[in-house]
Amino acid sequence: MSAVGIVAAAGSGSRLGADRPKALVELAGRPLVAWAVDTLLAGGVGEVVVVVPAAEREAFAAVLPGGVRLVDGGATRTASVRAGLAAAGTAADAVLVHDAARPLTPPDVVARVLAALAAGAPAVVPVLPVVDTTVVVDAAGTVTEAVPRGPLRRVQTPQGFHRAVLVAAYAALDDAAELTDDAAVVRADGIPVATVAGDERAAKVTVAHDLRIAEVLAAVPLGSS
Ligand code: C5P
């Protein structure tokens, strides 16, 4: 099935403390956004739209391959993906939405998401188990409850959708709604979301410590981490 990728790269990255948008911060000498675009293309996505901060278009164009289309993002991730989806066209059967903040995602994860879509899932996310004991705390930080971790999963990107399913879900979503991922958007529209295995290398770079870990991992060949 043909797929278009949308890379959400319009965040400021204030938690990283960098002097530029997070997606332009370098990992092993290349901006995070370039890693994310390469992952999608290597995993089987045919074309890519990158959603960027409006004021930074030129800086993004300078570091991305010519075939990649750039679109201005919005104030929230939800608004940015909405803009990317509007620009993604109607030719592809599937849409994969990926965070620029997950630069080391192996192309295998992309391939697993595409395979699940081709097998009939309307929506699919890569997930990992929760290995720590997980609890709920009250306003004072006191533990009120332990959550059974067996059924819990951490959700990563790229998240894949049949294009019409994602378009309909965003159309049904309130303009002001702010959800943390796209699976939440389709679930709000009543669509079941399937899962495939994620990968620890797809961890999100949020704070400076994450970038230091990613620098170490980037030096390790795929398959050995
Ligand atoms: O802030 P967070 O790390 O959760 O953002 C996840 C992804 O969404 C990042 O790749 C970021 O660039 C993107 N994003 C966006 N538009 C925003 C906020 C975040 O494209 N307004």
Side-chain angles (χ1 to χ4, degrees), residues 7-15 21-23 32 36 51-53 60 73-81 98-102 157 180 204-206:
V7 176
S12 67
S14 48
R15 286 167 293 179
K22 179 163 68 179
L32 300 186
V51 190
V52 304
F60 277 77
T76 64
R77 186 185 184 284
T78 305
S80 291
V81 174
H98 191 32
D99 287 336
R102 298 181 185 275
T157 73
T180 55
K204 191 159 74 166
V205 172
T206 304

Side-chain angles (χ1 to χ4, degrees), residues 43-147:
V45 166
E47 55 166 330
V48 178
V49 174
V50 178
V51 190
V52 304
E56 303 281 349
R57 253 181 191 253
E58 280 176 27
F60 277 77
V63 299
L64 290 171
V68 169
R69 269 185 296 149
L70 302 185
V71 179
D72 292 347
T76 64
R77 186 185 184 284
T78 305
S80 291
V81 174
R82 200 190 279 277
L85 194 55
T90 56
D93 306 313
V95 178
L96 265 62
V97 186
H98 191 32
D99 287 336
R102 298 181 185 275
L104 296 181
T105 305
D108 278 5
V109 178
V110 178
R112 284 197 286 277
V113 169
L114 287 173
L117 292 173
V124 58
V125 295
V127 297
L128 289 175
V130 172
V131 293
D132 293 315
T133 295
T134 301
V135 299
V136 178
V137 297
D138 63 17
T142 303
V143 173
T144 57
E145 200 185 332
V147 183

